[in-house]
């Protein structure tokens, strides 16, 4: 039977949401093909494999090895190549995450196959599956079809909704032990910085601050608002360069690309490099004291005013809801 592999991703022992979105994407590519979810790690992956089935996979394969506890492109690459050779899929889908971006070009080149990256939409006509992906920093979209052979497809988070979780779904879980040979690097442990709440790349609400926020103290206002809205805090490079916040929060051409349901840009001018990372957000609200700021050109709602007055007022109103 023809099939599509979905390579899932974990963080801190949990599946990342983009893994479930990748299953939904695989279903959109073909409702008839078997969807096989892949989980990679060192041990105890059955519960995660079952989650993939609850979210729509027909079957799940766990690939275990002591050297696969943490991601390395060599280790994961060898594991995926082994399963691709055994399963001979028609396509391989994964998230357009830092891991997906690192792995898929290498594997596509090894297998001499194609790669359609950063997909935000999938449609079908009578003959083709058509993939949409942003180009020119999100200013335009191109549509691609795959004309030959299998291909890797990476999907951008928060664009293709995951299917409803359904615990009554059943499917076979298989364990595959692979021989991971001669790794040049083994990552023994990953020590994360203390979490500051919701993961930016998967957040539905982002409150992002720019140079207008003026200080690290000013960012505390944004954290409070993000907390009230159950969202994450992001930033412009201007704010990161000024050391108001960590570079891990940077959104834009050289930062993270995000597509939340709601993006609140606070004291951000709207430079093209910033827009490249957030212009596909579903609803954009801009708060800026300069009515001519470029950010208002892409905002759905604009508030012209001093952020230090506007944010506390918004916060007070949101708290009432
Ligand atoms: P500014 O442009 O200084 O804007 C600050 C805004 O705050 C102004 O509009 C001002 O009116 C407003 N403001 C000030 N005080 C208040 C107040 N009290 N209340 C309300 N509003 C107020 N930038 C990114 O963001 N992400 C990237 O990935 C990125 N990559 C880059 C890559 C390259 C190669 C280059 C050259 C640049 C890149 N930049 C990136 C930088 C980008 O060009 C801008 O310099 C940066 O986005 C500006 O940040 P900002 O909007 O916070 O600051």
């Amino acid at each position: 039977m023809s099939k599509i592999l979905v390579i899932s991703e974990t963080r801190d022992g949990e599946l990342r949401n983009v893994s479930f979105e990748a299953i939904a994407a695989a279903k959109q590519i073909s409702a008839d093909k078997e969807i096989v979810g892949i989980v990679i790690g060192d041990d105890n992956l059955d519960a995660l494999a079952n989650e993939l089935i609850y979210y729509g996979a027909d079957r799940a394969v766990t690939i275990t090895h002591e050297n696969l506890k943490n991601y390395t492109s060599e280790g994961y690459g060898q594991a995926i190549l082994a399963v691709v050779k055994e399963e001979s899929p028609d396509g391989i889908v994964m998230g357009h995450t830092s891991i997906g971006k690192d792995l898929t070009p290498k594997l596509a080149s090894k297998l001499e196959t194609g790669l359609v990256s950063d997909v935000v939409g999938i449609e079908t006509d009578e003959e083709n599956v058509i993939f949409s992906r942003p180009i020119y920093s999100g200013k335009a979209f191109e549509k691609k079809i795959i004309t030959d052979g299998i291909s890797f497809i990476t999907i951008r988070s928060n664009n293709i909704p995951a299917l409803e979780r359904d615990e009554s779904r059943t499917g076979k879980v298989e364990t595959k032990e692979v021989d991971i040979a001669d790794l040049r690097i083994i990552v023994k442990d990953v020590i994360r910085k203390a979490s500051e709440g919701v993961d930016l790349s998967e957040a539905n609400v982002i409150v992002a601050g720019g140079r207008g926020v003026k200080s690290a103290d000013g960012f505390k206002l944004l954290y409070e608002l993000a907390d009230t809205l159950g969202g994450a805090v992001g930033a412009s490079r201007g704010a990161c360069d000024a050391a108001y916040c960590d570079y891990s929060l940077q959104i834009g051409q050289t930062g993270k690309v995000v597509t939340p349901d709601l993006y609140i840009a606070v004291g951000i001018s709207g430079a093209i490099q910033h827009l490249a990372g957030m212009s596909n957000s579903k609803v954009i609200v801009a708060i800026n004291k300069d009515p001519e700021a470029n950010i208002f050109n892409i905002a759905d709602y604009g508030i012209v005013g001093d952020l230090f007055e506007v944010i506390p007022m918004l916060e007070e109103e949101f708290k009432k809801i």
Side-chain angles (χ1 to χ4, degrees):
M1 187 199 204
S2 53
K3 64 190 85 154
I4 300 177
L5 299 189
V6 173
I7 316 290
S8 67
E9 258 186 65
T10 55
R11 176 175 289 171
D12 300 331
E14 305 271 328
L15 285 163
R16 295 188 66 186
N17 203 40
V18 72
S19 310
F20 307 132
E21 294 170 353
I23 293 173
K27 290 239 183 233
Q28 286 182 23
I29 293 167
S30 171
D32 306 328
K33 293 192 199 300
E34 184 189 25
I35 311 294
V36 185
I38 310 291
V39 202
I40 303 173
D42 62 338
D43 209 358
N44 291 330
L45 303 177
D46 282 7
L48 302 182
N50 277 316
E51 277 302 312
L52 295 181
I53 288 167
Y54 300 155
Y55 276 94
D58 300 302
R59 178 161 64 92
V61 177
T62 64
I63 308 181
T64 54
H65 191 281
E66 57 178 347
N67 290 343
L68 292 175
K69 180 177 173 208
N70 294 304
Y71 173 76
T72 58
S73 61
E74 255 189 324
Y76 273 48
Q78 288 184 22
I80 294 169
L81 282 179
V83 78
V84 167
K85 278 188 186 141
E86 200 168 297
E87 297 278 350
S88 301
D90 302 312
I92 302 148
V93 186
M94 72 180 296
H96 193 69
T97 57
S98 46
I99 290 182
K101 284 187 253 185
D102 183 42
L103 259 185
T104 49
K106 289 177 190 155
L107 294 179
S109 139
K110 270 217 157 86
L111 291 165
E112 295 188 1
T113 181
L115 164 62
V116 187
S117 64
D118 203 12
V119 169
V120 295
I122 300 170
E123 324 152 56
T124 43
D125 63 17
E126 278 127 43
E127 284 168 32
N128 296 305
V129 181
I130 304 155
F131 299 95
S132 301
R133 59 188 300 280
I135 51 171
Y136 304 127
S137 300
K139 280 187 168 272
F141 289 84
E142 69 175 359
K143 299 203 168 198
K144 284 195 159 180
I145 56 170
I146 298 165
T147 54
D148 189 23
I150 72 161
S151 188
F152 283 85
I153 294 131
T154 61
I155 59 150
R156 191 183 277 196
S157 294
N158 277 349
N159 279 273
I160 297 169
L163 306 174
E164 283 282 310
R165 183 177 185 276
D166 178 359
E167 253 186 75
S168 68
R169 282 185 57 91
T170 53
K172 202 167 159 197
V173 175
E174 295 161 7
T175 303
K176 186 170 166 52
E177 282 182 21
V178 283
D179 183 24
I180 302 293
D182 301 330
L183 293 189
R184 284 170 292 183
I185 292 174
I186 295 166
V187 177
K188 286 296 195 192
D189 216 351
V190 175
I191 300 154
R192 286 193 201 289
K193 283 170 57 173
S195 162
E196 277 162 358
V198 184
D199 178 2
L200 191 54
S201 50
E202 293 190 348
N204 288 324
V205 176
I206 293 177
V207 181
R211 210 151 19 208
V213 178
K214 297 208 169 56
S215 66
D217 246 17
F219 260 75
K220 285 185 189 155
L221 273 180
L222 308 192
Y223 277 104
E224 279 163 28
L225 181 59
D227 219 32
T228 305
L229 296 172
V233 171
S236 69
R237 179 155 142 191
C240 299
D241 284 345
Y244 302 162
C245 60
D246 194 84
Y247 277 103
S248 60
L249 302 191
Q250 186 182 320
I251 290 166
Q253 186 182 317
T254 44
K256 293 199 167 81
V257 175
V258 295
T259 34
D261 293 335
L262 174 62
Y263 189 91
I264 307 180
V266 185
I268 292 177
S269 59
I272 179 85
Q273 295 90 353
H274 186 75
L275 304 189
M278 46 63 74
S279 60
N280 290 320
S281 303
K282 289 174 194 92
V283 175
I284 298 171
V285 176
I287 304 167
N288 199 303
K289 67 178 183 187
D290 174 8
E292 302 296 324
N294 190 45
I295 193 79
F296 289 126
N297 291 325
I298 60 146
D300 299 285
Y301 300 94
I303 303 173
V304 179
D306 185 333
L307 69 93
F308 296 100
E309 289 168 18
V310 174
I311 297 281
M313 282 196 271
L314 282 180
E315 166 93 24
E316 205 181 308
E317 290 305 313
F318 282 131
K319 274 194 169 147
K320 289 182 191 160
I321 301 171

